[in-house]
Amino acid sequence: MDIQTLTFIIVGLTFALYIGIAIWSRAGSTNDFYVAGGGVHPIANGMATAADWMSAATYISMAGIIAFAGYDGSVYLMGWTGGYVLLAMCLAPYLRKFGKFTVPDFIGDRYYSQTARTIAVLCAMLVSFTYIAGQMRGVGVVFSRFLEVDIATGVIIGMVIVFFYTVLGGMKGITYTQVAQYCVLMFAYIVPAVFLSLLMTGHILPQTGFGGTVADGSGQFLLERLDGLSTQLGFAEYTEGVRSKVDVFFITAALMVGTAGLPHVIVRFFTVPKVRDARRSAFWALAFIAVVYLTAPTIAAFGKMNMINTVNGPDLQGVEYDNAPSWIKNWEKTGLISWEDKNDDGRMFYSGDERNEMTIDRDIMVLANPEIGDLPAWVVALVAAGGVAAALSTSAGLLLVISTSVSHDLLKRNLMPNITDKQELMYARLAAAVAILISGYFGVYPPGFVAQVVAFAFGLAASSFFPAIILGIFNKRMNSTGAIAGMIVGIVFTFSYIVFFKFISPELNTPDHWLFGISPEGIGTLGMIFNFVVAFIVHKMTGDAPKDIQDLVESIRYPKGAGEAQDH
């Protein structure tokens, strides 16, 4: 059976599973729609959180970044993993005890201000739309190759599927769908890694194969071989970084605090019955995430070596295009790989200098890996299903954040306080429909590759939400004026910096022109610092929060004895 047929079958079966779960767990109330009734088991919630978290950026793009950037790609692993520890220890239990299941709701009540709530809604929507653009792009990449459609058609297919089970099931449907999606994407990520590790190093565990010797009798370590190939082809050594330490620090910090400020992750901790379960959920999520994250560097290294060997040949002289392996021809149809014969020798050549004749999109690395390694067709189809699961799971969570920000925080809690539960649910579903159309557009015309777009979303979350939440929990005197001023300065500065270097003057997007040598991917950390500084200065100039708010903050510092999450 060919790859396309197997892909239709496996992806079709997973779609049927997701839709079946959405129908089975259809939301009947706003409490079901927003927080799944607050009755999800911590292990199931941890698995759903992991799926929500491990987006197309993780599944499709992270290993690609590591494969192309080598050591510098480790900032994504460190930042995204460390963020969960920060979230579990400093935020999740306290927010759960406060009882407001959206970030704008927490900020609006904690800072006793509808203005603060509205700004938080706008920030949540900006972060979520930026993030979801990367997910839709990931769906398009998967479908463009394996269903042999263009990226725009692939995005539309993904939009329809996500819209169906998000609008129908809400958080209740999404949670149990994401449990299934985690199982699919985890299995799809691990299986090819095991195959490749056995073939290339003789180790069944990819992690030990990563540090092992190549299975060709040479006794040379895999990473040593990869370093040698990289330098011969004009790249930096694979195990050496070229980014400045300042930029590495700022990117890692932005990803870390951005994780702790992401609204679609925070809301996950309101779907469990108790505060203790929120902390347990964070532990299980980190454990489930680690299964995939500890495998990503191995896939990157195996894929990079196989790619070099199949494009350049074992003698590094280039493979004749007419005899090119099938994976190159397959991916050329998507436009994500291209070849220009600069020296008219009829041979492809991939390098990091003027000899290079190949343009290879880094987002294809994980998806093309089984084909590059000549693995069985069912493994190729499985990887496609995993890519779809990763992109759709996070898209659903983000759509829910956008819909609840509009229906609950903007309408119910601000502009239209007298609407009924039924009307609120209707507005939530309508907002999700509009959101998916907008996100689909950015999926077709993205501002960068998947993980880069997602990194921008983390920077925006870090510069806007994280300081407001931290100060709201641990500084009981912080007032609304300070928090509002900080959020505005943080998000405006970060957003402007990213837009300038990515859209207005991309030719200036080099370390020489960056502020303090900080790239757009890491600028969210500086925006966060500005947020904190402005908040403190304005607070000192305008006085403390009211006594009842200080008492409220004091009461949530001890994360036990919380009641159910409130849906008002």
Side-chain angles (χ1 to χ4, degrees):
M1 195 176 294
D2 63 21
I3 291 174
Q4 187 177 10
T5 304
L6 278 170
T7 303
F8 272 114
I9 293 172
I10 293 178
V11 173
L13 287 174
T14 59
F15 279 0
L17 176 63
Y18 305 153
I19 293 171
I21 291 173
I23 293 172
W24 166 72
S25 56
R26 180 172 181 172
S29 67
T30 53
N31 202 35
D32 280 346
F33 192 87
Y34 294 150
V35 292
V40 180
H41 191 279
I43 295 179
N45 195 55
M47 198 175 290
T49 305
D52 205 351
W53 170 242
M54 288 188 296
S55 61
T58 290
Y59 187 94
I60 295 174
S61 200
M62 186 171 66
I65 287 178
I66 299 171
F68 282 79
Y71 181 82
D72 283 337
S74 63
V75 296
Y76 290 88
L77 286 170
M78 294 187 295
W80 285 339
T81 308
Y84 254 93
V85 179
L86 186 64
L87 180 61
M89 299 302 296
C90 296
L91 298 183
Y94 303 101
L95 290 174
R96 177 64 183 83
K97 184 168 184 181
F98 195 87
K100 301 300 179 183
F101 54 69
T102 69
V103 173
D105 217 4
F106 167 79
I107 289 175
D109 283 13
R110 162 58 183 88
Y111 293 111
Y112 50 95
S113 167
Q114 293 291 33
T115 301
R117 187 190 310 277
T118 302
I119 291 171
V121 168
L122 296 176
C123 290
M125 294 178 70
L126 181 59
V127 170
S128 298
F129 274 123
T130 305
Y131 203 150
I132 203 173
Q135 311 315 309
M136 289 292 103
R137 173 68 174 179
V139 173
V141 169
V142 174
F143 283 138
S144 67
R145 162 63 187 93
F146 296 106
L147 300 185
E148 296 190 359
V149 296
D150 57 43
I151 287 182
T153 304
V155 168
I156 292 170
I157 295 171
M159 287 165 57
V160 171
I161 297 295
V162 175
F163 174 76
F164 183 85
Y165 70 76
T166 303
V167 170
L168 187 65
M171 180 59 84
K172 188 175 180 181
I174 287 171
T175 296
Y176 294 108
T177 301
Q178 286 174 336
V179 170
Q181 286 169 331
Y182 174 78
C183 295
V184 171
L185 72 88
M186 183 271 292
F187 190 64
Y189 208 75
I190 300 300
V191 168
V194 171
F195 267 94
L196 291 169
S197 184
L198 283 169
L199 289 170
M200 298 179 70
T201 67
H203 289 247
I204 191 169
L205 284 177
Q207 292 78 9
T208 59
F210 182 63
T213 56
V214 183
D216 59 2
S218 66
Q220 190 176 30
F221 285 100
L222 176 81
L223 291 177
E224 185 183 358
R225 172 77 60 84
L226 200 48
D227 276 344
L229 287 172
S230 297
T231 53
Q232 285 183 65
L233 294 172
F235 298 103
E237 284 194 9
Y238 190 78
T239 56
E240 294 292 330
V242 295
R243 280 186 181 273
S244 69
K245 290 183 179 179
V246 170
D247 197 30
V248 167
F249 172 81
F250 272 79
I251 293 175
T252 304
L255 296 173
M256 185 178 294
V257 297
T259 298
L262 283 177
H264 77 291
V265 174
I266 290 173
V267 74
R268 278 261 153 236
F269 299 103
F270 293 93
T271 62
V272 292
K274 303 173 184 176
V275 170
R276 181 177 60 181
D277 294 332
R279 200 183 291 273
R280 286 177 176 174
S281 287
F283 165 78
W284 281 110
L286 193 57
F288 289 127
I289 290 168
V291 174
V292 172
Y293 269 47
L294 291 175
T295 310
T298 70
I299 289 180
F302 297 152
K304 182 68 174 287
M305 184 176 290
N306 278 335
M307 184 186 70
I308 289 173
N309 288 335
T310 55
V311 173
N312 292 352
D315 57 358
L316 299 185
Q317 297 302 309
V319 172
E320 289 185 6
Y321 180 74
D322 292 338
N323 299 324
S326 59
W327 73 269
I328 292 179
K329 300 293 181 66
N330 291 335
W331 282 96
E332 266 190 321
K333 297 173 185 175
T334 68
L336 298 174
I337 287 182
S338 61
W339 170 63
E340 179 187 355
D341 192 3
K342 293 181 179 178
N343 55 9
D344 296 321
D345 65 350
R347 292 176 177 269
M348 301 178 297
F349 196 81
Y350 175 68
S351 70
D353 52 29
E354 68 281 353
R355 297 172 294 169
N356 182 51
E357 299 177 336
M358 303 292 295
T359 301
I360 302 175
D361 192 306
R362 66 188 69 194
D363 284 340
I364 75 166
M365 183 54 70
V366 170
L367 299 174
N369 223 353
E371 292 180 276
I372 298 173
D374 202 23
L375 300 186
W378 67 267
V379 178
V380 179
L382 181 64
V383 168
V388 174
L392 296 187
S393 61
T394 304
S395 298
L398 292 165
L399 281 175
L400 197 67
V401 167
I402 295 169
S403 66
T404 53
S405 294
V406 172
S407 64
H408 182 77
D409 299 312
L410 193 60
L411 298 181
K412 177 72 172 180
R413 300 282 284 155
N414 198 342
L415 303 178
M416 302 167 63
N418 297 320
I419 60 174
T420 64
D421 270 10
K422 187 174 181 181
Q423 289 173 318
E424 186 180 350
L425 197 57
M426 179 193 71
Y427 284 122
R429 286 172 168 153
L430 183 62
V434 174
I436 201 163
L437 292 174
I438 298 173
S439 62
Y441 172 82
F442 286 109
V444 177
Y445 304 103
F449 59 86
V450 175
Q452 187 181 48
V453 175
V454 169
F456 296 152
F458 280 78
L460 294 171
S463 63
S464 57
F465 285 137
F466 183 75
I469 296 172
I470 286 291
L471 293 174
I473 295 171
F474 297 104
N475 186 341
K476 64 181 182 181
R477 293 185 174 86
M478 179 54 62
N479 63 16
S480 61
T481 312
I484 291 169
M487 281 194 295
I488 291 174
V489 169
I491 193 87
V492 169
F493 167 76
T494 304
F495 182 75
S496 301
Y497 192 91
I498 291 171
V499 169
F500 177 79
F501 281 113
K502 298 305 295 183
F503 299 102
I504 297 176
S505 299
E507 71 280 359
L508 299 179
N509 190 19
T510 61
D512 293 338
H513 297 98
W514 295 339
L515 184 64
F516 307 125
I518 304 169
S519 65
E521 289 83 0
I523 200 63
T525 302
L526 190 58
M528 175 195 70
I529 294 171
F530 288 164
N531 186 330
F532 273 119
V533 170
V534 169
F536 276 115
I537 291 174
V538 173
H539 164 229
K540 291 298 182 183
M541 295 172 60
T542 53
D544 293 342
K547 182 66 167 57
D548 61 318
I549 296 297
Q550 294 188 41
D551 292 340
L552 174 65
V553 174
E554 192 71 31
S555 72
I556 70 170
R557 288 183 178 174
Y558 304 95
K560 60 181 181 178
E564 296 181 355
Q566 302 297 309
D567 63 346
H568 60 275

